[in-house]
């Protein structure tokens, strides 16, 4: 829960004053300056961690969002990367004006993150500079390489460049002069947003506020915690005061006092009496951790393929032209399958075909893909944050017959319907957000050991969008992979078409375009075989 204490409501004798007084170093005659300086530093750090721990300054980051914040690794940064192509082109000035009018209405995009011992807090960036977030890009021209390939290479480079932690965790890179594969002159927009800000479904809401005619985001109501004063009094008495002694004895006592205070966080029934609202759910989530982790650990390992292994530190992306959504629906109707069944079957076929093209035999092999499942009503997507679970889907990459493969996918998708696994995965992420990073890594690496890919299927706008007067001709995005997962697959429906995109670690898959090139033939083969099936009267 978020606890806010409006600054205007705190008088000279309010709780902020109480905490400040508790933190003020007492004057101790004869204390060496070095000791006084060290003690003051300790007080400041403890006060920052303590107030941040309960969200008493800024807005406390949720446990799940904290897990995503801490999940960055050298091989996989937790960024959602997206690309829009626009025709005709737009200017950097027009984009900046639109971002200022619309995107910055969401507080998250003006806030930076402050981490502390117990988590993280969203705080306003007092030195916010829009030019540090909306950047101009010029793609390098190389003989024999198209601008599309140059754009793909640049997206791959940016996917491994961390966002500046001193600023809000997002950036847009505008290529003002871009010519796509269709020969149309226009612009390209690369977007990078850290996953701790929002998930893919929530970012659709952000997208719809940016485009021409988009509505401004609803205004979030400020919520003041009912136990705010009590909570800050507790901090002043139990955490800050023990650190105000400037002698060695006082610092020793402070260590015991801090230990007792932090113990309250592990005992919610005691913490409630000290004004710590919202910690009971912490215990409930943690209670599920052992059983959920055990169930995940018992999943059989994936088949060993060249797509699984330890990733390096370079990424590459690729995407295909849109496939008409009506054609996908027609195949699904003829085979009594969902659109998802059809698309995921083609993905499995493309991956299997890619492995065959390299001389591997995927017959009988399967790989597991973690698929996000939305857990919130769409009307609440504007609130941002992460509200999704994960289900493990085993893809039959070794089944060569497209009809047989689509029915195998349908059977596995049906088995997941009504499953509690998305909720359990969400609870595990929440529990991971409570842990120190080494413990969190150990838990989340379970996903990586059992998984080859992360796969997302997001329904985008049905009608074509315009931005600053330019039509959005294509849009694509890629969600991050965690741990040692080196393959990300994205499916996005938009404007009557469906796009398929891949992001790969170059150590495991140097040329993702080869997977993309296998997708359209797989779809065409499935479509042809569907037409050849006997039709009833």
């Amino acid at each position: 829960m978020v606890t806010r204490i409006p600054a205007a409501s705190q008088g000279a004798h309010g709780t902020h004053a109480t905490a400040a007084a508790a933190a003020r170093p007492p004057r101790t005659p004869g204390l060496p300056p070095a000791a006084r300086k060290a003690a003051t530093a300790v007080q400041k750090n403890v006060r920052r961690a303590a107030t941040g721990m309960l969200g008493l300054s800024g807005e406390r980051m949720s446990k799940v969002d904290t897990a995503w914040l801490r999940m960055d690794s050298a091989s996989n940064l937790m960024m959602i990367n997206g690309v829009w192509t626009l025709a005709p082109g737009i200017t950097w000035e027009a984009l900046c004006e639109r971002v200022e009018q619309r995107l910055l209405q969401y507080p998250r995009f003006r806030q930076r993150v402050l981490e502390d011992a117990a988590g993280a807090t969203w705080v306003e960036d007092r030195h916010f500079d829009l030019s540090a977030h909306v950047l101009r890009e010029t793609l390098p021209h190389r003989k024999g390489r198209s601008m599309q390939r140059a754009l793909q290479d640049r997206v791959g480079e940016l996917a491994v460049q961390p966002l500046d932690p001193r600023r809000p965790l997002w950036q847009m890179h505008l290529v003002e002069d871009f010519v796509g594969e269709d020969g149309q002159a226009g612009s390209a927009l690369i977007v990078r947003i850290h996953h701790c800000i929002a998930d893919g479904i929530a970012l659709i809401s952000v997208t719809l506020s940016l485009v021409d005619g988009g509505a401004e985001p609803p205004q979030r109501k400020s919520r003041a915690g009912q136990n705010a004063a009590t909570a800050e009094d507790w901090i002043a008495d139990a955490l800050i005061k023990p650190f105000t002694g400037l002698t060695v004895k006082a610092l020793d006592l402070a260590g015991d006092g801090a230990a007792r205070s932090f113990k309250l966080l592990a005992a919610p029934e005691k913490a409630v009496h000290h004004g710590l609202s919202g910690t009971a759910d912490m215990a409930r989530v943690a209670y599920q951790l052992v059983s959920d982790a055990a169930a995940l650990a018992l999943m059989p390992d994936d088949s060993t393929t060249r797509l699984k292994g330890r990733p390096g530190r370079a990424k590459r992306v690729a995407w295909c032209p849109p496939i008409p959504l009506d054609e996908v629906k027609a195949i699904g109707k003829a085979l009594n399958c969902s659109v998802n069944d059809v698309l995921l079957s083609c993905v499995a076929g493309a991956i299997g075909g890619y492995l065959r093209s390299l001389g591997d035999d995927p017959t009988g092999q399967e790989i597991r893909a973690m698929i996000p499942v939305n857990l919130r009503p769409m009307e609440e997507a504007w609130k941002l944050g992460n509200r999704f679970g994960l289900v493990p889907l085993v893809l039959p990459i070794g089944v060569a017959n497209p009809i047989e493969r689509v029915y195998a996918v349908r059977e596995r998708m049906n088995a997941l319907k009504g499953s509690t696994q998305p909720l359990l995965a969400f609870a595990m992420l929440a529990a991971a957000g409570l842990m120190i990073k080494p413990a969190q890594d150990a838990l989340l690496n379970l996903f990586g050991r059992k998984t080859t890919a992360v796969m997302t299927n997001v329904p985008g706008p049905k009608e074509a969008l315009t931005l600053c007067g330019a039509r959005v001709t294509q849009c694509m995005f890629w969600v991050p992979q965690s741990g040692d997962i080196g393959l990300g697959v994205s499916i996005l429906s938009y404007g009557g078409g469906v796009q398929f995109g891949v992001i790969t670690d170059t150590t495991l898959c140097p040329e993702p375009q080869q997977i993309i090139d296998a997708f359209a033939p797989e779809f065409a083969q499935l479509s042809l075989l569907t037409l050849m099936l006997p039709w009833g009267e």
Side-chain angles (χ1 to χ4, degrees), residues 390-413:
L390 295 165
V391 293
L393 175 66
V394 178
L395 293 174
I397 62 171
V399 177
N401 184 297
I403 300 294
E404 181 184 351
R405 189 172 59 246
V406 75
Y407 284 131
V409 170
R410 183 185 68 174
E411 180 183 357
R412 295 168 193 204
M413 288 295 287

Side-chain angles (χ1 to χ4, degrees), residues 354-433:
Y354 165 74
L355 295 174
R356 288 188 192 92
S357 72
L358 297 177
D360 299 343
D361 182 10
T363 302
Q365 292 189 330
E366 300 176 327
I367 64 171
R368 185 176 290 105
M370 284 294 179
I371 298 180
V373 177
N374 184 40
L375 296 178
R376 77 167 125 208
M378 284 298 294
E379 61 270 18
E380 295 184 5
W382 62 272
K383 295 180 181 179
L384 303 185
N386 289 275
R387 297 291 183 274
F388 69 94
L390 295 165
V391 293
L393 175 66
V394 178
L395 293 174
I397 62 171
V399 177
N401 184 297
I403 300 294
E404 181 184 351
R405 189 172 59 246
V406 75
Y407 284 131
V409 170
R410 183 185 68 174
E411 180 183 357
R412 295 168 193 204
M413 288 295 287
N414 286 338
L416 292 174
K417 291 178 180 177
S419 169
T420 60
Q421 288 178 341
L423 292 173
L424 297 181
F426 184 83
M428 289 183 68
L429 286 169

Side-chain angles (χ1 to χ4, degrees), residues 274-298:
H274 289 82
L276 283 179
S277 59
T279 54
D281 64 316
M282 185 189 305
R284 288 194 295 270
V285 171
Y287 180 78
Q288 294 289 336
L289 178 59
V290 175
S291 58
D292 296 345
L296 184 61
L298 290 174

Side-chain angles (χ1 to χ4, degrees), residues 173-461:
H173 304 252
L174 178 65
V175 181
E176 291 179 278
D177 298 311
F178 175 78
V179 179
E181 298 289 87
D182 56 4
Q184 277 190 299
S187 298
L189 181 63
I190 306 170
V191 181
R192 303 193 299 153
I193 300 176
H194 200 285
H195 215 312
C196 70
I197 291 179
D199 55 36
I201 291 293
L203 291 177
I204 293 292
S205 177
V206 173
T207 298
L208 294 178
S209 70
L210 270 178
V211 299
D212 298 345
E216 293 188 3
Q219 295 298 312
R220 181 190 290 269
K221 295 180 180 179
S222 179
R223 294 179 294 175
Q226 294 180 349
N227 296 322
T230 308
E232 186 144 333
D233 285 340
W234 175 79
I235 286 179
D237 291 337
L239 274 180
I240 299 179
K241 281 183 179 178
F243 282 88
T244 57
L246 298 184
T247 62
V248 174
K249 181 179 179 180
L251 288 172
D252 287 340
L253 291 174
D256 293 336
R260 287 194 300 270
S261 300
F262 278 102
K263 269 187 176 181
L264 292 174
L265 295 179
E269 70 283 356
K270 296 180 181 179
V272 167
H273 296 300
H274 289 82
L276 283 179
S277 59
T279 54
D281 64 316
M282 185 189 305
R284 288 194 295 270
V285 171
Y287 180 78
Q288 294 289 336
L289 178 59
V290 175
S291 58
D292 296 345
L296 184 61
L298 290 174
M299 288 194 306
D301 291 342
D302 278 357
S303 299
T304 302
T305 69
R306 65 175 65 234
L307 296 173
K308 195 165 182 63
R310 185 169 292 279
R313 299 191 179 187
K315 300 280 187 184
R316 187 159 289 160
V317 306
W319 62 89
C320 66
I323 293 173
L325 182 57
D326 286 344
E327 291 187 22
V328 182
K329 290 180 178 179
I331 293 174
K333 185 176 181 180
L335 298 177
N336 193 27
C337 295
S338 70
V339 168
N340 279 350
D341 297 337
V342 173
L343 294 172
L344 293 175
S345 172
C346 291
V347 169
I351 294 173
Y354 165 74
L355 295 174
R356 288 188 192 92
S357 72
L358 297 177
D360 299 343
D361 182 10
T363 302
Q365 292 189 330
E366 300 176 327
I367 64 171
R368 185 176 290 105
M370 284 294 179
I371 298 180
V373 177
N374 184 40
L375 296 178
R376 77 167 125 208
M378 284 298 294
E379 61 270 18
E380 295 184 5
W382 62 272
K383 295 180 181 179
L384 303 185
N386 289 275
R387 297 291 183 274
F388 69 94
L390 295 165
V391 293
L393 175 66
V394 178
L395 293 174
I397 62 171
V399 177
N401 184 297
I403 300 294
E404 181 184 351
R405 189 172 59 246
V406 75
Y407 284 131
V409 170
R410 183 185 68 174
E411 180 183 357
R412 295 168 193 204
M413 288 295 287
N414 286 338
L416 292 174
K417 291 178 180 177
S419 169
T420 60
Q421 288 178 341
L423 292 173
L424 297 181
F426 184 83
M428 289 183 68
L429 286 169
L434 297 172
M435 298 177 175
I436 59 173
K437 184 161 174 52
Q440 174 183 311
D441 290 345
L443 173 63
L444 296 177
N445 280 342
L446 285 172
F447 285 100
R449 291 201 298 271
K450 304 295 180 180
T451 307
T452 296
V454 175
M455 187 174 299
T456 58
N457 188 348
V458 174

Side-chain angles (χ1 to χ4, degrees), residues 11 31 218 279 493:
L31 188 70
T279 54
S493 60

